Amino acid sequence: LISGTDIRSKVEAVKPISRSLGGCAVPSADVLERVRWPHVLTDAYSRTVDAALSSQQCTALHVTVTDVEIMRNPFRGQNRMLSRPATFAHTFVMTVSPAGVYVHQSYGPRGYTMLQHMLQHDGAAAPEGKSRYPMSFEAGKGWVARFEDFAANGGGVWTPEVNAAYADCFEVDLSAH
């Protein structure tokens, strides 16, 4: 992803990975079974911070969190038979540059879009007092650690700790739904 700093440029950059903007395909069940590397983000984040500091580079990391259980059994979730009440499906793009860290995200099929998130939280475009970005590199590292608290959850048990980590990252409290 390559983008200028204005909101229009960011929208164009994320369009290919945003379902609401006309992009974003869900991987096959085959791929989803083989791909689960929650700690890869820490390594990638560290490399992007190093590149931002040493070479003045900007790097975008795209992550899709897919709810495999909901994909396998789409009707079970509607009947509340799952141990968690809603999907945790999420997409985000984390950009790391000398200016700081941005996380642009969208939530599931019925939540907020990436564009809505940008407009609510991104610098000058955000309502007064609502801007979360740019984050410092240290705050970005903390965000990644909280993401991994959620993503590394083995066995799929939705605990209060997992829910809190998810809510910290994505502003969605699934226990409240």
Side-chain angles (χ1 to χ4, degrees), residues 97-144:
S97 74
V101 180
Y102 291 79
V103 179
H104 298 298
Q105 54 184 287
S106 61
Y107 170 61
R110 293 181 297 257
Y112 54 84
T113 66
M114 205 171 278
L115 178 58
Q116 288 169 327
H117 187 266
M118 283 183 197
L119 292 172
Q120 289 179 343
H121 297 294
D122 192 0
E128 190 168 332
K130 291 284 192 172
S131 180
R132 294 179 62 180
Y133 306 110
M135 287 190 283
S136 68
F137 295 133
E138 194 61 34
K141 183 178 179 180
W143 192 97
V144 169

Side-chain angles (χ1 to χ4, degrees), residues 1-18 21 23 60 62 93 95 104 114 118:
L1 299 172
I2 299 173
S3 168
T5 57
D6 62 287
I7 202 80
R8 183 172 289 137
S9 296
K10 291 176 184 179
V11 169
E12 286 305 311
V14 300
K15 194 174 195 175
I17 59 167
S18 170
L21 295 175
H62 171 228
V93 176
T95 59
H104 298 298
M114 205 171 278
M118 283 183 197

Side-chain angles (χ1 to χ4, degrees), residues 16-19 23-37 62-72 89-91:
I17 59 167
S18 170
R19 186 173 295 123
C24 193
V26 175
S28 69
D30 219 29
V31 170
L32 293 173
E33 286 295 324
R34 292 182 281 120
V35 179
R36 184 178 168 91
W37 305 306
H62 171 228
V63 177
T64 299
V65 179
T66 304
D67 189 337
V68 177
E69 179 64 23
I70 295 276
M71 290 180 66
R72 284 188 195 140
H90 227 91
T91 296

Side-chain angles (χ1 to χ4, degrees), residues 40-53:
V40 170
L41 187 56
T42 292
D43 297 336
Y45 180 77
S46 294
R47 285 192 307 274
T48 62
V49 169
D50 290 344
L53 294 172

